[in-house]
Amino acid sequence: MTILNGKALVAYEESGPFKLVDTFVDTSKVQPHQVLIRFKKSGICHTDLGSWSGAIPARFPCILGHEGAGVVEFVPENSKSDLKVGDEVVATFCHCKQCSHCGDSRPSSCFNFVPLNMGFLNVDFTPADVEIESQGSGKTAATSYFGQSSFQSLSIADTASLVKVDKGLPMELICAFACGFQTGFSTVIECVQRDKTRTFDHLPGNQRQASLEVSSAQTLAVFGIGAVGLASIAAGKLVGLQKVIALDVNDSRLELAKKAGATDVINVRGLDNEKVVEAIQKASATGKGATVTIEASGNSSALKNAVTCLATRGKCIVLGVQPAEYVLDVPAMAIL
């Protein structure tokens, strides 16, 4: 048994201050589906803040963080992974590898996504904890948030959440691919309507052999220009959508959206719902509204607008976490 000393930012209570404390990691507890990671960089995501604030239930004290980048420090002898000591990795979300969605190569739709990523559990659904403050103190913090808890220097991470990357990449940049960038970018790639065959050469032959290429005469409207929103806009430009509309209350973020590929920007500050919908319809490719909307702000009014501005056969994808008590108020005729 080897005990390794690390550091972690621990949230001791809901909405309380983070404290930098010592951690003590027992390498004998690393299971076959896990490795020990030394994190070098970590992003911070609104989901972390949601769990910290109580908007998303959490187990305190806990170690948050789910946009980690680091190096494999230890691999158990009975490892079920191809990862080796020294490999550089990005830590993203965890998935069970057992359900039908995981089997269909759609791990982000894993039936066990919520408990495995926000429940501070190992992939076998046992509680995950690490000793904190001093060795032998008996004090622990919940860990394995999104299979990683990247707000710590040493983490027993689930290999289901790890992606090996080329050595030498700037970790302060690639950690953003763990959640924010891939969430917005991949949502557009997966969810826009398509009319030509597109293949996935990098996947096994029995998994999603063909999809459809995007039609240009479509409009994407993105609500909330943070990391997720910017990635959505970049993907919309990449796949050739005719109109990519960015909506936010911050002019500097809208300027970033233009650089990322937005064809139109709308500052919604002071606009009522009807005016926002009218502005989107006017800017859309057909004048009838958006083909696809992405709500990435977590704002309830924005979510309502994201639904009501849709053209016929349009779809709204919700990526921003709404308040738990919010009930969507949309006229039935808007979705008929």
Side-chain angles (χ1 to χ4, degrees):
M1 180 179 71
T2 302
I3 304 295
L4 299 178
N5 179 215
K7 294 284 187 181
L9 283 173
V10 176
Y12 279 81
E13 59 184 2
E14 184 179 301
S15 299
F18 288 90
K19 296 181 181 180
L20 184 64
V21 302
D22 286 303
T23 61
F24 300 89
V25 181
D26 183 353
T27 59
S28 68
K29 292 184 178 180
V30 182
Q31 300 179 34
H33 56 83
Q34 298 172 324
V35 295
L36 183 66
I37 301 295
R38 183 172 293 277
F39 281 120
K40 301 292 187 179
K41 301 290 181 179
S42 176
I44 183 169
C45 172
H46 201 273
T47 305
D48 297 311
L49 299 180
S51 295
W52 166 77
S53 68
I56 300 170
R59 180 163 62 92
F60 293 94
C62 63
I63 304 171
L64 300 167
H66 63 284
E67 293 184 329
V71 180
V72 177
E73 181 106 344
F74 173 82
V75 178
E77 292 183 0
N78 56 350
S79 175
K80 296 180 180 179
S81 168
D82 293 331
L83 291 171
K84 298 178 175 60
V85 172
D87 284 345
E88 296 184 7
V89 295
V90 169
T92 176
F93 60 87
C94 196
H95 55 285
C96 72
K97 296 185 178 182
Q98 302 296 321
C99 71
S100 58
H101 284 170
C102 287
D104 194 31
S105 203
R106 297 188 182 276
S108 63
S109 298
C110 174
F111 286 122
N112 296 300
F113 187 94
V114 171
L116 288 180
N117 288 286
M118 302 177 194
F120 301 93
L121 301 174
N122 295 306
V123 76
D124 60 1
F125 299 100
T126 57
D129 297 276
V130 64
E131 189 173 29
I132 59 173
E133 297 187 9
S134 61
Q135 191 172 351
S137 67
K139 296 180 180 180
T140 61
T143 186
S144 200
Y145 188 67
F146 281 76
Q148 57 179 291
S149 287
S150 61
F151 291 175
Q152 59 184 331
S153 59
L154 286 173
S155 174
I156 297 177
D158 199 295
T159 55
S161 72
L162 301 177
V163 179
K164 182 180 176 181
V165 297
D166 293 339
K167 289 188 175 183
L169 294 175
M171 290 190 178
E172 70 274 16
L173 299 181
I174 61 173
C175 62
F177 284 78
C179 179
F181 189 86
Q182 72 160 315
T183 300
F185 192 90
S186 299
T187 296
V188 173
I189 298 297
E190 290 291 326
C191 294
V192 294
Q193 296 176 14
R194 302 174 181 277
D195 58 16
K196 296 179 182 177
T197 300
R198 176 166 69 95
T199 59
F200 294 83
D201 293 335
H202 63 289
L203 292 177
N206 64 336
Q207 296 178 357
R208 294 158 57 199
Q209 289 180 318
S211 184
L212 295 172
E213 195 55 67
V214 68
S215 166
S216 61
Q218 293 191 56
T219 297
L220 169 69
V222 181
F223 295 76
I225 309 305
V228 173
L230 283 171
S232 301
I233 288 166
K237 178 184 178 181
L238 176 70
V239 300
L241 298 178
Q242 185 172 332
K243 287 296 190 83
V244 179
I245 305 170
L247 301 98
D248 204 284
V249 296
N250 188 312
D251 284 331
S252 63
R253 291 193 175 204
L254 292 173
E255 287 301 315
L256 280 176
K258 290 179 183 178
K259 294 180 180 179
T263 59
D264 299 82
V265 297
I266 300 171
N267 191 320
V268 299
R269 185 180 296 278
L271 298 182
D272 61 26
N273 294 66
E274 186 176 337
K275 292 294 184 183
V276 173
V277 172
E278 288 178 357
I280 294 169
Q281 290 172 336
K282 183 177 180 180
S284 68
T286 62
K288 300 296 184 181
T291 314
V292 178
T293 61
I294 292 179
E295 202 307 286
S297 71
N299 179 277
S300 303
S301 182
L303 176 55
K304 181 175 182 177
N305 292 335
V307 175
T308 54
C309 79
L310 290 170
T312 303
R313 299 189 72 232
K315 62 177 71 172
C316 171
I317 299 96
V318 184
L319 301 180
V321 178
Q322 299 288 328
E325 68 277 5
Y326 175 65
V327 177
L328 181 61
D329 177 22
V330 174
M333 290 301 293
I335 56 175
L336 180 64

